[in-house]
């Protein structure tokens, strides 16, 4: 418990970045009619690959029309 | 409304436009007709200020292209052959953006966007991203974008060529609706489109204008009587064709598979003698018909004549 | 004429295509990682097995200076790379797609077309670098101690200027090229030349790379300045943009 409290100040900014990226990527994924590859796979990437996952989705997942 | 004088455009060794002179009167729908590569797109690109002529001059809606080109966009609306947009925008946002660029007020823009989306039948798609639009939808949006600022002159480059029959009908109807509101110059290589909506026709080939006249006049002047005969007996027909070509009242004989087209210059004599002459060659026609040249025939005739010279 | 309209479209584009968000996040992560790396590297070294005895004690205790130089190093590498990646397609993509042609038949001057792109990218990097700076400042505060904010700000200002040199040069390359691929090739070529010549002893003093050294020295309390590099950088930005304008004016789109 005390360890978590010690690390909390370090975690807060990382958590904020992760959350913002994750939520924007998920919202975009849901709204987009179609993406490269299956949507559920992208959802997994966005949810479980920290930080890099949403960025990979933004760079590679979206279709260039 | 559009005046082009001795316009020439040279790309390296290729002369895309060769001493082109033509006039488009205010209020007309001018069909700019020619085969692919005749110089139609180059001409339109010069008229929109996107390309600079090698020599010659042009005036569009009172704007002299060589001296005053920066004022041109306010007066013209241009629909390129393949209209493209920013895929992340919606049609509403795009039309609004164009309106802002042209200095329309907020309320004017809102009304205009609504009106145009209705006109081109995109109201339901108004909030969708343009990225997912079909070819036909983009064409209609392109037309709407060209109209936002109520231009005096509308320049359309092959507005319906890439569309399916239903989409083509929609866009042609839109163009027809616009007559009277602005002067329209539309390029196309499809004659049926011109026959349908244009009241003036200019035919261009190899960068040169070979004919410019009102549609009706063009049809009356160039339309000659033509007979069509349909028969399987090809050897006899070929023999017959050689005979016919020697007659003074025959302009041309054209064999295309089973169908022989005979253009004549003396209708009375042709009616009297043509069928009899076929019979004398033991040709049994499956079909024999007297008809008039369509605009397509006129066009092919003119373009062919030009290339022979 | 219409600069603000086109600029606001460019900013919306940065946002809607998620470019702004991605660069913000990446830069913030680099900002956070810099002091962390400075703190952890010696400890990782110490804990390596097979380290000769005595050497562990010789590894210096990390200081705020290490955090700063780590930050400057990261920004001078990844910041410049991002500046290049984000800018090199800006004009070439619009030419390739045909949207440039479409827009230029409306009242958008070619100068505004270019300037709006430059300023939108400048704002993107201003925001992103601020995120990086904030992250670096915060972690340094936690791991070491508070940095003097005025010289830290000045250092970041110098870095932003250096980024903008690469943005302007990339826009120039993007205007010169007819395709995105060619634009990327030109921009990376320019990067290699600037980096290579900038590493030479005398000439290097006039190159934007010096801005990073100047920034670092502000923080470390040494008195190196690089005024020539600063003026040259501003000059290069202006020349690159005006050059791009002249080229675009002569191009038929």
């Amino acid at each position: 418990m005390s360890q978590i409290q010690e690390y909390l100040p370090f975690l807060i900014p990382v958590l904020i970045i992760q959350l913002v990226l994750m939520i924007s990527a998920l919202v975009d994924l849901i709204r987009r009619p179609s993406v490269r590859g299956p949507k559920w796979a992208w959802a997994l990437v966005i949810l479980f690959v920290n930080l890099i996952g949403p960025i990979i989705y933004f760079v590679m997942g979206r279709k260039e029309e | 409304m559009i005046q082009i004088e001795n316009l020439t455009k040279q790309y390296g060794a290729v002369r895309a436009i060769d001493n082109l002179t033509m006039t488009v009167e205010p209020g007309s729908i001018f069909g700019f007709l020619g085969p692919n590569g005749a110089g139609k797109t180059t001409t339109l690109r010069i008229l929109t200020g996107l390309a600079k002529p090698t020599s010659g001059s042009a005036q569009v809606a009172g704007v002299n292209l060589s001296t005053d080109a920066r004022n041109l966009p306010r007066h013209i609306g241009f629909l390129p052959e393949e209209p493209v947009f920013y895929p992340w925008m919606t049609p509403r946002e795009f039309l609004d953006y164009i309106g802002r660029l042209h200095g329309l007020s907020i309320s004017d823009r809102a009304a205009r966007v609504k009106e145009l989306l209705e006109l081109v039948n995109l109201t339901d798609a108004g909030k969708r991203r343009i990225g997912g639009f079909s070819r036909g939808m983009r064409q209609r949006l392109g037309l709407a974008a060209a109209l936002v600022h109520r231009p005096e002159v509308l320049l359309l480059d092959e507005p319906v060529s890439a569309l399916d029959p239903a989409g083509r009908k929609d866009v042609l109807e839109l163009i027809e609706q616009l007559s009277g509101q602005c002067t329209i110059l539309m390029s196309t290589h499809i004659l049926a489109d011109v026959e349908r909506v244009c009241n003036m026709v200019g035919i261009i080939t190899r960068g040169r204008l070979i004919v410019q006249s009102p549609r009706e006049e063009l049809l009356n002047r160039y339309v000659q009587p033509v007979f069509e005969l349909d028969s399987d007996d090809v050897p006899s027909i070929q023999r017959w064709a050689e005979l016919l070509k020697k007659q003074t009242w025959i302009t041309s004989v054209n064999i295309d598979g089973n169908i022989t087209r005979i253009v004549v210059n003396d209708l009375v004599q042709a009616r009297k003698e043509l069928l009899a002459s076929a019979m004398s060659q033991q040709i049994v026609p499956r079909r024999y018909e007297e008809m008039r040249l369509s605009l397509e025939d006129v066009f092919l005739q003119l373009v062919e004549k030009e290339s022979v010279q | 004429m219409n600069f603000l309209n086109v600029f606001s479209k460019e900013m919306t584009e940065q946002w809607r295509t998620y470019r702004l968000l991605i660069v913000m996040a990446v830069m913030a992560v680099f900002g956070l990682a810099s002091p962390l790396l400075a703190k952890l590297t010696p400890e990782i070294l110490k804990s390596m097995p097979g380290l000769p005895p005595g050497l562990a004690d010789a590894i210096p205790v990390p200081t705020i200076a290490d955090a700063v130089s780590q930050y400057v190093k990261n920004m001078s590498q990844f910041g410049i790379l991002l500046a290049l990646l984000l800018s090199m397609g800006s004009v070439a993509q619009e030419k390739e797609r045909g949207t440039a042609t479409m827009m230029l038949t409306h009242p958008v001057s070619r100068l505004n077309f270019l300037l709006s792109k430059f300023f939108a990218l400048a704002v993107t990097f201003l925001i992103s670098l601020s995120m990086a700076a904030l992250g670096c400042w915060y972690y340094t505060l936690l791991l070491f101690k508070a940095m003097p904010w005025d010289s830290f700000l000045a250092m970041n200002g110098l870095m932003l200027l250096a980024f903008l040199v690469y943005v302007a040069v990339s826009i120039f390359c993007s205007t010169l090229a007819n395709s995105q691929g060619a634009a990327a090739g030109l921009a990376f070529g320019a990067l290699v030349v600037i980096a290579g010549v900038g590493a030479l002893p005398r000439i290097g003093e006039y190159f934007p790379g010096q801005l990073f050294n100047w920034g670092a020295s502000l923080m470390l309390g040494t008195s190196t300045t690089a005024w020539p590099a600063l003026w040259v950088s501003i000059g290069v930005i202006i020349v690159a943009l005006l050059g791009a304008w002249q080229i675009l004016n002569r191009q038929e789109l």
Side-chain angles (χ1 to χ4, degrees):
Chain A
M1 191 61 209
S2 66
Q3 247 188 337
I4 288 180
Q5 260 176 354
E6 195 184 323
Y7 285 121
L8 200 59
F10 287 95
L11 286 175
I12 286 173
V14 181
L15 278 177
I16 293 174
I17 297 172
Q18 163 67 10
L19 270 180
V20 168
L21 283 178
M22 196 175 78
I23 291 170
S24 356
L26 280 179
V27 168
D28 185 82
L29 181 70
I30 291 166
R31 279 202 193 151
R32 205 164 282 267
S34 70
V35 292
R36 275 198 198 115
K39 276 198 174 191
W40 58 267
W42 280 116
L44 293 182
V45 170
I46 292 167
L47 283 172
F48 296 109
V49 185
N50 287 338
L51 292 177
I52 308 291
I55 291 179
I56 294 179
Y57 166 72
F58 282 133
V59 176
M60 320 220 332
R62 294 177 300 148
K63 270 187 197 155
E64 189 63 68
E65 289 91 0
Chain B
M1 215 50 175
I2 302 176
Q3 273 169 322
I4 301 175
E5 263 170 57
N6 304 324
L7 202 69
T8 296
K9 177 72 184 179
Q10 192 93 26
Y11 285 112
V14 182
R15 186 161 280 197
I17 304 179
D18 189 1
N19 213 16
L20 183 78
T21 299
M22 74 181 214
T23 311
V24 178
E25 297 296 332
S28 55
I29 303 186
F30 190 101
F32 196 35
L33 200 59
N36 285 324
K40 301 183 300 272
T41 297
T42 308
T43 309
L44 284 179
R45 284 167 50 79
I46 290 174
L47 293 180
T48 49
L50 287 167
K52 303 227 162 13
T54 310
S55 66
S57 66
Q59 258 199 359
V60 179
V63 176
N64 187 328
L65 289 189
S66 33
T67 57
D68 209 16
R70 42 173 302 158
N71 287 325
L72 190 64
R74 307 244 176 233
H75 301 276
I76 61 161
F78 175 50
L79 175 65
E81 187 169 357
E82 255 182 65
V84 280
F85 309 93
Y86 298 105
W88 51 270
M89 277 191 185
T90 68
R92 262 171 212 289
E93 287 167 339
F94 185 72
L95 295 179
D96 184 73
Y97 177 48
I98 300 296
R100 263 191 297 161
L101 292 178
H102 283 280
L104 271 59
S105 71
I106 300 179
S107 56
D108 199 8
R109 259 159 28 215
R112 192 75 182 136
V113 169
K114 188 166 175 285
E115 180 187 350
L116 285 171
L117 284 175
E118 264 164 38
L119 180 74
V120 300
N121 202 10
L122 283 174
T123 308
D124 293 339
K127 286 179 181 166
R128 272 167 51 192
R129 293 171 78 253
I130 300 172
F133 275 22
S134 69
R135 186 71 176 78
M137 290 165 94
R138 271 182 277 146
Q139 200 77 26
R140 281 180 281 147
L141 179 58
L143 191 58
L147 291 169
V148 171
H149 52 296
R150 299 182 179 86
E152 295 137 70
V153 173
L154 197 57
L155 302 163
L156 312 172
D157 192 4
E158 301 271 4
V160 294
S161 303
L163 302 181
D164 58 30
R168 166 171 299 179
K169 184 167 163 283
D170 289 349
V171 173
L172 284 177
E173 271 169 12
L174 279 174
I175 294 171
E176 251 176 331
Q177 279 179 44
L178 293 170
S179 73
Q181 292 174 39
C182 51
T183 307
I184 300 174
L185 171 64
M186 76 177 241
S187 82
T188 178
H189 66 276
I190 298 167
L191 289 127
D193 301 343
V194 172
E195 255 182 307
R196 192 162 156 193
V197 296
C198 299
N199 47 30
M200 281 291 292
V201 181
I203 298 180
I204 181 177
T205 181
R206 293 154 155 223
R208 273 186 290 183
L209 192 74
I210 47 179
V211 172
Q212 172 179 359
S213 84
R215 184 187 58 189
E216 292 313 316
E217 198 176 295
L218 188 77
L219 287 170
N220 289 335
R221 176 149 42 117
Y222 290 95
V223 168
Q224 296 164 293
V226 59
F227 291 84
E228 262 188 24
L229 184 137
D230 193 349
S231 167
D232 296 330
D233 188 0
V234 179
S236 307
I237 285 182
Q238 271 163 356
R239 233 179 308 125
W240 180 49
E242 289 312 309
L243 273 174
L244 286 180
K245 279 179 186 162
K246 292 179 190 135
Q247 306 293 329
T248 50
W249 46 274
I250 302 258
T251 312
S252 70
V253 183
N254 228 316
I255 304 173
D256 180 14
N258 293 332
I259 298 168
T260 315
R261 289 170 68 86
I262 305 131
V263 183
V264 302
N265 50 43
D266 187 338
L267 187 59
V268 180
Q269 194 159 13
R271 278 180 182 153
K272 242 187 339 204
E273 292 184 25
L274 193 60
L275 191 59
S277 129
M279 293 301 195
S280 72
Q281 294 295 316
Q282 273 86 43
I283 293 168
V284 183
R286 196 161 36 196
R287 181 174 65 89
Y288 174 78
E289 200 177 338
E290 178 189 331
M291 49 210 311
R292 276 165 60 95
L293 276 178
S294 70
L295 192 55
E296 185 143 4
D297 298 293
V298 175
F299 172 71
L300 288 173
Q301 249 183 30
L302 286 168
V303 171
E304 244 162 58
K305 206 165 73 192
E306 181 70 15
S307 2
V308 169
Q309 280 169 1
Chain C
M1 182 178 72
N2 269 327
F3 171 78
L4 282 180
N5 284 328
V6 187
F7 172 75
S8 83
K9 172 249 147 192
E10 290 292 332
M11 276 324 294
T12 318
E13 183 162 13
Q14 294 290 335
W15 179 245
R16 292 267 193 94
T17 55
Y18 298 97
R19 273 176 239 160
L20 180 57
L21 186 73
I22 294 171
V23 182
M24 271 167 71
V26 172
M27 293 281 270
V29 169
F30 278 120
L32 291 171
S34 302
L36 199 63
L37 231 67
K39 183 82 175 180
L40 293 182
T41 310
E43 285 177 22
I44 294 168
L45 281 178
K46 269 182 210 166
S47 64
M48 280 213 305
L51 202 70
L55 199 61
D57 302 325
I59 295 173
V61 178
T63 62
I64 207 165
D66 296 304
V68 168
S69 52
Q70 187 70 42
Y71 178 62
V72 171
K73 201 180 91 194
N74 280 345
M75 286 301 128
S76 69
Q77 290 170 356
F78 297 102
I80 286 174
L81 193 66
L82 282 172
L84 212 69
L85 289 175
L86 219 61
S87 318
M88 65 191 191
S90 56
V91 181
Q93 190 188 37
E94 291 224 25
K95 285 198 288 188
E96 213 170 54
R97 270 198 193 148
T99 41
T101 312
M102 188 92 172
M103 291 331 293
L104 291 176
T105 58
H106 292 289
V108 176
S109 72
R110 295 180 185 215
L111 183 63
N112 282 337
F113 180 79
L114 286 171
L115 285 184
S116 63
K117 285 192 185 298
F118 175 76
F119 281 104
L121 285 163
V123 171
T124 300
F125 277 96
L126 173 69
I127 297 171
S128 305
L129 188 61
S130 306
M131 300 301 291
L134 207 65
C136 176
W137 200 86
Y138 176 66
Y139 264 25
T140 307
L141 175 73
L142 293 181
L143 292 165
F144 303 95
K145 59 179 175 129
M147 287 190 281
W149 64 271
D150 47 353
S151 41
F152 186 62
L153 214 59
M155 175 176 79
N156 280 290
L158 289 170
M159 291 201 291
L160 182 63
L161 181 64
F163 291 161
L164 293 186
V165 172
Y166 289 91
V167 169
V169 170
S170 302
I171 288 179
F172 177 84
C173 295
S174 197
T175 310
L176 197 61
N178 282 322
S179 70
Q180 291 188 68
L186 281 175
F188 275 103
L191 174 69
V192 169
V193 170
I194 295 175
V197 183
L200 296 176
R202 280 187 193 185
I203 311 172
E205 285 170 25
Y206 298 95
F207 273 64
Q210 287 304 312
L211 296 175
F212 291 99
N213 297 343
W214 185 6
S217 81
L218 280 178
M219 290 296 295
L220 303 177
T222 52
S223 57
T224 334
T225 59
W227 288 103
L230 180 108
W231 296 122
V232 169
S233 294
I234 294 173
V236 168
I237 293 174
I238 294 170
V239 169
L241 291 176
L242 288 180
W245 179 41
Q246 287 306 311
I247 291 169
L248 194 64
N249 268 336
R250 281 167 180 72
Q251 280 174 345
E252 287 188 354
L253 298 173

